[in-house]
Amino acid sequence: MRPVIELRNVRIAFDGHEVLHGIALTVLPGEILTIMGGSGSGKSVLLRLLAGLIKPDRGEVCIDGTDTVPLSEGEMLSFRQRMGVVFQQAALFDSMSVADNIAYPLREHARLGEDAMRQRVAELLDIVGLPGIQEKYPAELSGGMRKRVGIARALALKPAIVLYDEPTSGLDPSNSKMISQLIVQVSRTFGTTSIVVSHDLFWSLRISSHVALIYRGNIIAAGTPAEIQASSIPEVQAFLAGDLYC
């Protein structure tokens, strides 16, 4: 099976400080891969590289077998349309209704009439468990609802890959459970490949196909949740015990 995503010897530095040190990573179709690590470990930088928002100094970032690093901004557009991104704070437009937020990528990149667009928005809200809230505005929604609207928007263009940036951050336990289960539901229903950056150890170990742990810019362990939990690497066990922060 050909990987959907491959990172080969990826290195990137900011202000002379190397943040990622030769990262190698393989993600197969349909997997839920969670990238974990302490604050400042490089996991969010890795997500931005995958989304094509920044370029590495060295190495390859391959999507469906194509190295995206040499591509121009225009050439990257088709790859970005294959991806949905769920931002940490949902990043909804406050001045737009829920319907307009979800329809935004459709208006930008899809040739749909208004009726078809309204139907697609309604379908997406059903998928995330929020039917009938099209006319509400982000300020009227709870944190968990905003996250779910963010997921709906990320799914608008039927992406093959969905990137989640700290999807349970700031949520109470019940909403964290709901969002985590929704990630699994989306993956199973649509066959999407999911990359999750998270600090939520509890849910990451329950929903992930594989987990990669970053420590000081290196992936020090990667495997199934069971393999990660059984690792003999001291830093991995320290992270699982809550004693490793960066």
Side-chain angles (χ1 to χ4, degrees), residues 130-164:
L130 294 172
I133 69 161
Q134 285 90 329
E135 301 309 313
K136 290 187 177 293
Y137 282 78
E140 301 175 80
L141 307 180
S142 68
M145 293 171 74
R146 287 195 294 272
K147 294 263 188 174
R148 284 188 277 166
V149 172
I151 292 174
R153 183 178 61 187
L155 296 175
L157 295 174
K158 302 181 179 179
I161 301 167
V162 182
L163 308 177
Y164 298 87

Side-chain angles (χ1 to χ4, degrees), residues 12 18 27 34 85 91 94 107 124-125 152 157 161 165 192-193 196 202 211 213 217 219:
I12 188 168
E18 193 169 67
V27 187
T34 299
V85 181
D94 291 336
R107 295 186 191 281
L124 290 164
L125 285 172
L157 295 174
I161 301 167
D165 187 8
T192 57
T193 302
V196 184
F202 181 86
V211 175
L213 181 60
I219 293 179

Side-chain angles (χ1 to χ4, degrees), residues 37-118:
S39 177
S41 60
K43 59 186 187 296
S44 293
V45 171
L46 186 52
L47 198 72
R48 290 164 63 197
L49 284 166
L50 290 172
L53 300 176
I54 55 176
K55 300 274 191 180
D57 298 320
R58 289 180 56 189
E60 300 176 0
V61 179
C62 298
I63 308 293
D64 290 330
T66 298
D67 181 12
T68 61
V69 175
L71 300 184
S72 68
E73 185 64 22
E75 291 169 329
M76 274 300 301
L77 185 60
S78 65
F79 283 93
R80 289 209 188 98
Q81 289 177 17
R82 300 180 206 178
M83 299 183 190
V85 181
V86 181
F87 297 96
Q88 183 172 347
Q89 303 299 331
L92 302 178
F93 298 108
D94 291 336
S95 61
M96 290 185 181
S97 68
V98 165
D100 286 338
N101 266 283
I102 296 172
Y104 185 80
L106 296 171
R107 295 186 191 281
E108 291 290 308
H109 303 294
R111 296 180 179 178
L112 290 179
E114 286 299 318
D115 288 344
M117 201 172 301
R118 281 193 292 269

Side-chain angles (χ1 to χ4, degrees), residues 4-5 25-36 47 50 82-86 151 154-155 159-167 179-198 204 207-212:
V4 175
I5 295 170
L25 192 64
T26 299
V27 187
L28 297 177
E31 284 191 339
I32 300 176
L33 170 71
T34 299
I35 301 168
M36 305 196 75
L47 198 72
L50 290 172
R82 300 180 206 178
M83 299 183 190
V85 181
V86 181
I151 292 174
L155 296 175
I161 301 167
V162 182
L163 308 177
Y164 298 87
D165 187 8
E166 298 284 5
I179 295 297
S180 298
Q181 291 176 335
L182 183 56
I183 292 171
V184 175
Q185 176 191 332
V186 166
S187 179
R188 290 176 178 171
T189 302
F190 301 106
T192 57
T193 302
S194 306
I195 312 295
V196 184
V197 161
S198 180
S204 296
I207 70 168
S208 305
S209 308
H210 289 83
V211 175

